[in-house]
Every structure is written in structure tokens, then in C-alpha cells.
Amino acid sequence: MDKASLTSLENLLKFPGSNHSDPVADASVLTCGCLVSESLFLQIQQGTCPNCKTTNVSILSEIKPLRELHRLITHFSTHTNTYAQSSISRRRRSSSKKSFKEEGTQQYGESMDLLSLFYKFAKEEEYTDGAKPTHATAPQIEASASVQPIEIKQPPRISTDIDIGSLQLQKTPSASPRNNNQLWGFETSTAASITNHSPELKFEKNLLKSIGEQKEYNFSKCFPFHRKLSTFPMLKFNFSSMVKSGSSIKKAISTSINSYHDYASGKEITRFVLINSKRWELYEYAVSISDIEKVQIKPQLILCGKSTGEFAETVNGLNQAIPRPSIKESIVRNEFGAKGDNTNDVEDMKKRLLQWDQIECYLTKNYLVITGTKGVLRVFNVNRTSPYLFGQPIYSYLTNFPIRCVAVSPNDALIACGITAKERLSGKEQPFVILHTLTFSETGQLGSVNPITITIPYRDPIKLISFNASSTHLVCGTSWESRYLVIKLKSDKEDNYRKPRLIWSDFTYKSARRSKAGMEDGKEFDDKLDADNELMMSNEGMTDLQFGNIFSNAVVVTSCSLKSRPPMIIHLEGAMIDSSKSHNVVDTYSIQNSVTSADEEDYSSIKSAEVIMKIPEIGSLIHRFAISPTGDGIVFLAKDGNVYLLSGPNFKNRLSTTSIANSKKIVVLLGEVANAERFSEAASIKFSPDGGKVFAVDRKGVFTVFDFTKGVPGHDPDVIKCKIINL
């Protein structure tokens, strides 16, 4: 590797706010989300971030991949002559790629050059010729041997202004219900692989598993202006077999999508579910993580079931006898203080299954959650490695009140649903949030479920609910007043979700009832008429509500309204949503950075909220949206079926600051899906784990893929330009 390549890699390790020009060898992340040198921060900064100037911050964790990068750069700098020949050959190959890249018109040249250098650096570490250098020093060999095999959870987007969002070095729990340990964005290999392999450096091989040079190059040339469109009408493919079985889904009333990387098989697996009142069907779309598929792959039906409890991997299998499961389903009935006979839970469950209708679904890597009438919530197993049968219901929740919305935490350990009960004496409605904590044994069997009731201090029913990235907070949206609530679920690491509390409440839009509350006497305003107008089918209020990416402290809101209410991004000032108190307490270096019980309230509260961006370019009739996991953009779904993409220069870094308000917005029209009269029937949209694709499935059963990694504009005829809305 030449000197220019080493210099470019060294620039990755020079963090903003650093007082020296040398690469940082001990990279760490602060509680505010900024990257610093650990030794420099502990010696000089004294609790103040050198980048964003936030006070009372501490070191959250070290960043092992960046520290390994510094070690490898040092190793390469001392052996430049040894690798001169291999570097020259690789530079020649890269130069031809560069000349081809310069033919395009996109402005991503700098980012692509850096990615190519990083990719070359990783490939050189494989020593494909089989000859490893024999003159490496003993300390270097010992340091390399101490590194355990790791797997990258999400492929990074390499850029010159690398940050905590671009590498996805986030402290998120494992998605497996059997392992609730929190890891830093990198999952260690299984116990068997660690036992069978001697400890050696695996960083480069795991990097190459999840990053394809051609796919990254195509993305840099296409995003956000060009994409390849693929559509799969799933219901038409399976219609003949459904007719033979006597039942079919002609139109879905609810859909859901989940996408993840399976490193064991090297596949990017995308699953989506379609449900109507009596049936549900689960499909799987699997493609290679790093390679570009030359043959178009169609989604396959892998599981289906009925509302009465039958499930099978094929449609014809629904008519056969259900296999007897070895592990029984857990049933919990909540009467909210009413006297009931808990011994008849099984009989009550059978009776409700014959009468209920399915309404809403939520899909994760391990679960399929379906809610409906008669106060029924059912959780199905969709993990083939689970001790439960594939498709078997593992948990059911019964209540006498309607379930309005449901969400599952990213770590698959929590399920939250919003219900509306009535007081016995007054008959007034009172909303609640029921938090189901799922506890699994070492064998993967569901041990216990403890539903926790969270009382909302408002009469407004809950219609939307969502978790943050670290599964520590909930955000809820109400029906009548367009109010959003932020609920902190845990006070510390040991409370087992027993002390959830409301830390912020605010209105997304000012309604006419509040704006006319101060009118003079003699002028009356009909609240009931205004409320009826607010709930018209073309005026549904809030339609989607989610937290932004991790460490952004952002909330994104959409609505469907005839009034001027475009989607907007809200920044929450105060405590870091994705950082718990326990992260800061574990600071053994400085007493002044520790959090005491006296200032715990200030640490866990939100002080204010500010709207940092509105997107009027796409209108105010928006049903759903999805945020890219790499922070490159946000996809919005309009009521008429149009799919819009919002992006901009350095978008992921500006999303967590108020400077995004004046930043440049790029809005393009990706394509169209089926429209919907109500947001509950709208299509589901989702980014792929690497942010290179956008998936959508609508109520007609059409699965759509908008791919930014499939080809290059001008060379692949299937890659076409999107319609530009704003530039």
C-alpha cells in the first residue's frame, strides 16, 4: 500500500475536536455520541466533549474495529516495501475502476475512492498468495492473536466524516430471544466456531462478508436518483393452490415487513406477512449479502395459518391435522381488576378463536404478532432454530377491551400494545399501555410473561406506538389531539421494567379547539363538530410515529390531513434517548462524571422539543415512512400510493442536530404501490439492513423492490432515473 493510501486511511482516525494531527489509537465513543481519544479525553477534557462541547459526558465504550484499524495501519507502514508489488497490481485494477467511475455525473467520487482504498486494505490482509510475512515483530503477532472472531451486524457506509452512525457501532441487544446480552454492533461467533478455530484476526474476512465492492460502487452511482424496480404479485402466484384448498386472500387488511442479514448462510433475508380477517401468510425473499444476483429470485411462501389456530408451511397443509407441539402455548388473561376464573383460560381461548377477526400484524426476525377483535393478541414463532414448531403460537394475551395498536422492541424481548378501557362508575374511556416482557430459558422456551400496565394521564386513546433502537423508551401517538408521549421504560439496569414513567408530552400540531380556546365570550365553538371533521377518512390525524436512528434524539411524525400538516422531524433536547443511566455510572476514571440520585431526574428528562425540518414537498396526505439504518434518507408513502425518498448531503450527520433545518433537501419519486383509504390498510415499507434497497408490500399482495445496488445508470437498462420532486 502506497503512502497516499495510508494517508487516506489515517484520516479516518483523526476525529473532529482533536488537538493533535496524529491518528487516534484508542478510539472511544462518548455518551453524547461523538468519537474521541480515550487518553486525551481523560487527561485534558474533564467531562466536556471536544467536538459538540456537551458537558457532563463520559466514555460509553471503546471502539475495537477502529483500534484494530490503527494497529493494521501501523503494521502496513512498516512493511511498505514487502507489499509493493501486490499494491501496484491492485492500484492498476483500481485505476481502471476509477476511470469508469469518472464517467458518471453523481457527486460521490470522494466517498467511493475511500471505500475502494478500504476494500483493498481488507483484501491485502487475507494474504491470498499464502505467504505471510515472517519478519513481523512478536508484539504485533501477540496483539493480532488476542482478537476474537467477530461479525459485522450491519455493513458500514464509509465516508470521510465517519461517525457513530456510519459504522453502526451501536449498543443494541441481540435479536435472538435466547441471548439478551447487549453487544456493540458486532456479534461474536457461535461457541462452536470459537472452539473449533484458533484465535486469529478475522476483521477483514468478516468485512468482506457483508460488503460487496460492486454493490457499494453501484450504490454510490445510483442513490438517490436512480434505481432498479422489481415487482412480484404474490397473491396471483398462489391463487390456484388457494382455490384448491377452499380459501384465499384476495385483499390484505394489514401487512408487515422485516429484513435482516443471516451470516451463517450469507443471505439477506426479507420476510413479509399478509393477513385478512381469517388467514395469514408469510413469505421469504432471500438474496446474497455481498454478491449481485444474476437471476431474478421470487419470494416464496414459507408459512401460513388460520385465525382458528391451524398453521402449516404450505397452503394444502392447512387441511391436515395439526402436529402436537411438545411445548404448550402460554396464555395470560387480564381483566383489569374484575373477578375472573383463571382456570378456564384454555376454554376461553378456544371460544374466542372461533369468533375473533384479525386486524393488525407486526413481524420481526423471531415473532409474528397478530391482534384483532375480542381483545386477542397472539405471538407466533417464525424462527426455525427455536424449540417451538415453525408457526406455532407461543403466547396469547386475552382482555375484555379493544387492542388498538401493537409494537415489538428491536431486541425481541418486549411487546407493547395500546388498549382503551372504561371506568366502571363514570363510563369514561381511559387509555393504557400493556408492556409484555418475554423471558426465555437457556433452551429457548418461553419461561414467563409479565404484562405491566402503564396508565396514560390523558383521556385521548392511543393509536400509534413504537420503540427506540435500544428498546429503552416508547413513543405513543394519540387519536384526538395529535399528542405524542415519550415513556422511559427502565430507571436502571436492575428494575426489570417495573418503573416506567412519562418523561415528555407535546402536541405535534395545534388543533382548532386549542387555538380558539381564548376566543371572546359570546363566540362559541362546537368541539364535537371539529372532532368529527378531524376524523374524516381524508383527515386521519397522525398516521405514523417513530424514533429516529440511534443517538439522534429525533422523532419523525407523519399525518394524513386536508390541512397543511406535512411530515416533520422533531429534535428532543435533554437526556439521550438511547443512553441509560447505567452507562454513565460505570465511569471508574473520574468521580465528577458519575450520576448521583440527586440529578437522576435531570438526566432522564426531556427539557424541550424543536421542529428541525418539515417536508412540504411531498404534501400532507402521508400514511407511513421508513428510516434508512445507515441514515442516508427517509422513505415516505403517500395515501395515493406514491413512494417518496428524502435525502441530502451529509444527511445522516445532520439528522441529530438543528442544522438540518437549513440543509439541502433532495426529494425524488421512487415509484407507486397500491393506494389505501385508511392508514391501517396502507402498504408496509422497509429499508434493507445495509440501506441499499427499499421494500414495499401492499394490500393487493404486490411485493416491490427499489434497488440502488443492482446496476449503474447508462450501463444497465433496468436502472432508470427517478422523478425529481425537489433538488
Side-chain angles (χ1 to χ4, degrees):
M1 184 177 294
D2 57 6
K3 186 176 180 181
S5 302
L6 288 174
T7 303
S8 300
L9 291 174
E10 289 175 353
N11 290 333
L12 291 174
L13 301 176
K14 296 178 181 180
F15 302 149
S18 178
N19 295 328
H20 56 84
S21 58
D22 297 331
V24 174
D26 53 350
S28 299
V29 60
L30 299 179
T31 54
C32 63
C34 298
L35 304 184
V36 296
S37 168
E38 181 176 351
S39 59
L40 182 65
F41 176 79
L42 296 176
Q43 295 174 5
I44 301 177
Q45 303 302 331
Q46 297 182 354
T48 302
C49 177
N51 184 20
C52 64
K53 307 303 179 183
T54 303
T55 58
N56 297 327
V57 297
S58 61
I59 294 177
L60 190 59
S61 176
E62 64 181 15
I63 305 180
K64 293 182 180 179
L66 292 183
R67 297 191 179 194
E68 285 300 320
L69 178 60
H70 181 274
R71 187 178 301 163
L72 294 173
I73 290 176
T74 305
H75 173 75
F76 271 108
S77 62
T78 58
H79 300 87
T80 305
N81 295 332
T82 305
Y83 299 103
Q85 188 64 32
S86 61
S87 298
I88 291 174
S89 62
R90 286 184 172 87
R91 278 200 302 270
R92 287 175 180 173
R93 174 185 158 195
S94 180
S95 62
S96 62
K97 178 74 68 175
K98 181 178 180 182
S99 62
F100 172 71
K101 180 183 56 176
E102 290 175 349
E103 297 177 1
T105 59
Q106 303 295 330
Q107 47 187 0
Y108 299 97
E110 183 178 0
S111 174
M112 188 55 214
D113 290 340
L114 193 54
L115 176 64
S116 299
L117 292 173
F118 197 61
Y119 182 80
K120 290 195 307 178
F121 149 72
K123 291 204 68 171
E124 288 171 0
E125 276 297 295
E126 289 185 322
Y127 303 111
T128 53
D129 55 358
K132 295 187 177 181
T134 59
H135 53 276
T137 61
Q140 290 171 336
I141 297 176
E142 183 179 358
S144 299
S146 63
V147 181
Q148 296 295 328
I150 56 178
E151 284 190 2
I152 296 180
K153 202 168 186 180
Q154 289 186 349
R157 291 259 184 255
I158 307 301
S159 60
T160 54
D161 50 351
I162 191 167
D163 64 349
I164 191 68
S166 59
L167 276 179
Q168 295 293 307
L169 302 175
Q170 58 201 43
K171 192 169 184 180
T172 55
S174 173
S176 174
R178 306 184 188 180
N179 181 18
N180 291 329
N181 297 327
Q182 294 182 341
L183 302 175
W184 267 91
F186 291 85
E187 288 186 336
T188 56
S189 302
T190 60
S193 63
I194 294 177
T195 304
N196 297 332
H197 295 82
S198 60
E200 59 178 346
L201 188 62
K202 295 287 185 179
F203 176 74
E204 320 85 73
K205 293 182 179 180
N206 291 317
L207 177 68
L208 296 178
K209 271 186 179 181
S210 58
I211 297 181
E213 183 181 17
Q214 188 61 46
K215 292 182 68 175
E216 291 293 325
Y217 175 73
N218 294 346
F219 181 87
S220 67
K221 301 297 293 182
C222 291
F223 189 85
F225 297 105
H226 299 82
R227 86 287 185 272
K228 180 178 179 180
L229 176 64
S230 302
T231 57
F232 306 94
M234 301 312 303
L235 298 187
K236 292 183 179 180
F237 290 159
N238 299 307
F239 182 75
S240 58
S241 60
M242 291 178 184
V243 171
K244 293 178 182 179
S245 63
S247 178
S248 63
I249 295 181
K250 297 181 179 179
K251 187 180 72 169
I253 61 175
S254 182
T255 59
S256 184
I257 303 179
N258 180 260
S259 185
Y260 63 94
H261 282 165
D262 185 1
Y263 292 101
S265 61
K267 295 289 187 179
E268 176 188 275
I269 298 179
T270 303
R271 291 177 173 178
F272 58 94
V273 61
L274 306 170
I275 72 169
N276 63 9
S277 60
K278 297 299 181 182
R279 287 175 55 94
W280 56 269
E281 296 175 356
L282 180 65
Y283 296 84
E284 184 175 275
Y285 177 73
V287 297
S288 174
I289 294 178
S290 56
D291 298 331
I292 299 176
E293 301 287 352
K294 297 181 180 180
V295 180
Q296 192 176 44
I297 299 176
K298 297 179 180 179
Q300 301 295 326
L301 177 67
I302 62 172
L303 194 62
C304 55
K306 296 181 180 180
S307 61
T308 52
E310 296 90 341
F311 62 93
E313 297 188 14
T314 61
V315 177
N316 295 329
L318 290 176
N319 298 327
Q320 302 174 4
I322 304 177
R324 184 180 296 274
S326 58
I327 307 175
K328 293 184 179 180
E329 175 186 5
S330 299
I331 302 176
V332 175
R333 186 166 59 174
N334 191 346
E335 304 295 345
F336 288 92
K339 295 182 179 180
D341 186 5
N342 294 330
T343 60
N344 295 326
D345 287 345
V346 177
E347 295 299 326
D348 186 19
M349 185 69 194
K350 292 180 179 179
K351 183 178 179 181
R352 296 197 190 197
L353 291 182
L354 296 175
Q355 300 174 354
W356 81 310
D357 291 331
Q358 300 174 151
I359 296 178
E360 185 178 1
C361 61
Y362 196 103
L363 180 65
T364 70
K365 180 181 178 181
N366 300 296
Y367 310 135
L368 167 61
V369 182
I370 299 180
T371 63
T373 60
K374 305 296 180 181
V376 177
L377 180 148
R378 303 201 81 188
V379 180
F380 299 86
N381 170 54
V382 294
N383 186 355
R384 294 184 184 274
T385 62
S386 172
Y388 292 91
L389 297 177
F390 188 55
Q392 176 187 349
I394 62 178
Y395 170 62
S396 293
Y397 175 75
L398 307 178
T399 180
N400 291 334
F401 303 102
I403 301 176
R404 294 181 175 270
C405 53
V406 66
V408 183
S409 62
N411 65 354
D412 277 1
L414 302 171
I415 299 175
C417 60
I419 69 171
T420 303
K422 284 188 178 182
E423 296 181 353
R424 292 184 181 179
L425 299 179
S426 63
K428 294 182 179 180
E429 291 186 343
Q430 174 62 51
F432 295 96
V433 173
I434 308 299
L435 187 66
H436 309 262
T437 58
L438 308 182
T439 303
F440 287 83
S441 63
E442 295 181 356
T443 60
Q445 182 177 350
L446 182 62
S448 62
V449 182
N450 301 315
I452 300 173
T453 302
I454 305 175
T455 304
I456 303 300
Y458 304 100
R459 297 291 185 181
D460 203 356
I462 297 174
K463 66 183 294 188
L464 301 170
I465 193 168
S466 179
F467 284 89
N468 67 327
S470 56
S471 306
T472 59
H473 290 71
L474 271 176
V475 60
C476 308
T478 61
S479 299
W480 300 96
E481 296 183 323
S482 296
R483 184 196 303 266
Y484 68 97
L485 318 170
V486 179
I487 301 174
K488 186 176 182 181
L489 301 177
K490 297 179 67 174
S491 297
D492 53 56
K493 208 171 186 179
E494 308 296 334
D495 70 354
N496 196 23
Y497 302 99
R498 289 296 178 183
K499 296 180 181 179
R501 66 182 186 272
L502 180 68
I503 63 174
W504 182 252
S505 173
D506 196 8
F507 299 101
T508 55
Y509 307 101
K510 303 299 181 182
S511 68
R513 283 177 286 173
R514 291 188 300 274
S515 63
K516 297 189 179 184
M519 294 179 67
E520 303 153 353
D521 296 339
K523 291 185 179 181
E524 297 182 356
F525 183 75
D526 191 349
D527 288 350
K528 184 177 184 304
L529 179 60
D530 181 72
D532 292 339
N533 292 334
E534 288 288 336
L535 294 181
M536 291 173 55
M537 295 183 66
S538 298
N539 215 10
E540 300 179 83
M542 279 196 301
T543 54
D544 205 351
L545 177 68
Q546 298 178 29
F547 284 106
N549 284 343
I550 191 167
F551 299 128
S552 65
N553 256 35
V555 174
V556 185
V557 184
T558 62
S559 68
C560 184
S561 174
L562 297 177
K563 302 178 182 179
S564 180
R565 295 180 176 178
M568 61 185 184
I569 303 174
I570 302 172
H571 182 71
L572 303 177
E573 296 290 344
M576 183 65 66
I577 293 296
D578 296 290
S579 178
S580 64
K581 170 177 173 286
S582 58
H583 296 162
N584 283 336
V585 174
V586 189
D587 184 4
T588 59
Y589 303 100
S590 176
I591 300 177
Q592 64 180 1
N593 289 336
S594 64
V595 178
T596 62
S597 58
D599 53 17
E600 178 184 352
E601 189 66 27
D602 292 337
Y603 176 80
S604 61
S605 63
I606 303 297
K607 299 178 181 178
S608 63
E610 179 183 359
V611 178
I612 59 177
M613 175 179 281
K614 292 185 177 182
I615 307 101
E617 293 83 0
I618 60 178
S620 59
L621 298 177
I622 305 299
H623 275 165
R624 289 186 179 176
F625 69 91
I627 304 176
S628 171
T630 59
D632 293 321
I634 305 177
V635 167
F636 295 93
L637 172 65
K639 181 179 180 179
D640 57 3
N642 288 335
V643 180
Y644 299 94
L645 172 63
L646 168 68
S647 183
N650 205 19
F651 185 81
K652 57 177 173 289
N653 296 329
R654 296 178 179 269
L655 184 60
S656 59
T657 62
T658 56
S659 60
I660 193 175
N662 298 323
S663 61
K664 184 179 180 181
K665 289 186 292 186
I666 298 176
V667 181
V668 299
L669 176 63
L670 288 182
E672 296 181 359
V673 297
N675 61 346
E677 289 297 329
R678 292 187 177 275
F679 77 96
S680 58
E681 298 180 357
S684 296
I685 53 177
K686 188 81 172 181
F687 273 93
S688 61
D690 59 359
K693 306 180 188 69
V694 176
F695 304 109
V697 58
D698 56 34
R699 58 187 176 85
K700 295 182 179 179
V702 179
F703 179 64
T704 307
V705 182
F706 305 96
D707 198 340
F708 300 101
T709 65
K710 205 69 172 181
V712 178
H715 295 268
D716 192 332
D718 294 331
V719 178
I720 59 177
K721 189 174 183 179
C722 306
K723 180 180 179 181
I724 298 176
I725 306 299
N726 183 73
L727 185 62

